[in-house]
Amino acid sequence: MTKKRILTWIKATGNGMHLWNYFWAVKPLFDSDNWIDDIFVFLPDLHSLTSVHDWDTLRNNRSRLLCEFFALMPEKSDITVFEQSKITHINNITWLLSSVTPYSMMLRAHSFKDSQNKNSEINMATFNYPILMAADIISYDINIVPVWKDQKQHLEFARDIAGNFNKTYNTDIFTLPEPQIDETVMTIPWTDGRKMSKSYDNFIGIFDDEKTMKKKIMSIVTWSEWLDEPKNPETCNVFAIIKLFASSEKQSEIASKYQAGWYWYWHAKLELLEMILEYFKAPREKYELYSKNPEPIEQQIKEWNDVMNTVATEKYMTLKKLTGLE
Ligand code: TRP
């Protein structure tokens, strides 16, 4: 069986990695089945410039995110982590792709239309965003990109752009990437039953201090039965999150407490807090260490940046020959 190349990304939001980021984007990478594949994780820092125009914010977000990701990563893993802005020719490749990307297709992009609805003016980086994103994927012959549905259209664009280029130059230089949509994670509700997101402020941060975490958990929206009434675990947001952490025995134990009555949602919330702290105990300790001394992380990522830079540079050299630039 040929190995698949999987690409995923971690985004610096400034608020740190939350449960949804972890269960959706990070944990699947560490699950053993995936060792048959080559996994690449990158920080789209050039994409961050579409909205972040502040030196401190950009630097601090990056450092925090790297410490968090490395704290979560198992000691022995084959994952390559790299930074978009360290890829010398990524924007050169983006330019070549722009020249085969129809304007009419770009006008259909939900992402810039969403920003346009929020801001009276958008910048060109926001408009061109999907082309750089295509370059992020196809420069390294990626086969699969796990995506939440908000990125599905971007993946379709990446495929179309790769296909257009291949057709225009009568080549197969670009592999067409496939989106992978994980339906199970898509149904996980968060503190208010919606998708966990910075913009809704309903996330539970993995590296938050205990007090903040407790406050977030206590604010999870629940029903309002009387204490003595039986409660339904299957319609409860707290229980939905408990399921991510508890063994099946523990889950049925808690479910029967719900059903028996005389059990406050508040009790379930405290149990959940304990579970989260226990589950992330080691990463939380490692995070403290890395925050004080990020040197080992910096050395490692530099090595990986160089590896990926070499891959993209080779691709760009071939592209130059194909297009007639050389
Ligand atoms: N568009 C992604 C987001 O908003 C980030 C991203 C940039 C990305 N380039 C990518 C995702 C390439 C997957 C592949 O979160």
Side-chain angles (χ1 to χ4, degrees), residues 10 17 43 60-73 207 283-284 286-295 297-298:
I10 42 174
M17 207 176 277
L43 272 66
N60 294 340
N61 287 357
R62 169 196 177 270
S63 315
R64 176 166 179 173
L65 192 65
L66 283 180
C67 288
E68 291 183 341
F69 191 79
F70 277 77
L72 289 165
M73 199 155 58
F207 299 96
R284 285 167 66 89
K286 267 203 221 164
Y287 175 75
E288 286 300 312
L289 288 179
Y290 287 143
S291 312
K292 286 187 198 110
N293 174 24
E295 202 39 47
I297 298 181
E298 294 298 342

Side-chain angles (χ1 to χ4, degrees), residues 212-225:
T212 311
M213 200 183 265
K214 189 167 175 184
K215 225 162 121 188
K216 280 282 165 60
I217 292 174
M218 287 302 160
S219 73
I220 298 177
V221 178
T222 52
W223 300 96
S224 49
E225 297 95 339

Side-chain angles (χ1 to χ4, degrees), residues 179-201:
Q180 186 185 64
I181 300 180
D182 184 342
E183 301 287 342
T184 51
V185 179
M186 282 169 92
T187 58
I188 298 174
W190 298 102
T191 55
D192 56 357
R194 291 185 293 181
K195 176 185 157 187
M196 193 174 282
S197 152
K198 183 171 72 102
S199 31
Y200 302 147
D201 192 30

Side-chain angles (χ1 to χ4, degrees), residues 7 9 11 42 44 47 84 129 133 136-137 145 151 154:
L7 177 78
W9 73 103
K11 222 172 165 183
F42 83 114
H47 276 117
Q84 185 183 37
Y129 187 109
M133 177 156 164
D136 291 332
I137 301 167
V145 185
Q151 297 297 325
H154 284 150

Side-chain angles (χ1 to χ4, degrees), residues 47-53 112 115 119 121-129:
H47 276 117
S48 300
L49 292 178
T50 57
S51 56
V52 181
H53 296 136
F112 94 85
S115 320
N119 312 295
E121 176 76 290
I122 61 158
N123 53 44
M124 280 309 291
T126 301
F127 186 72
N128 291 329
Y129 187 109

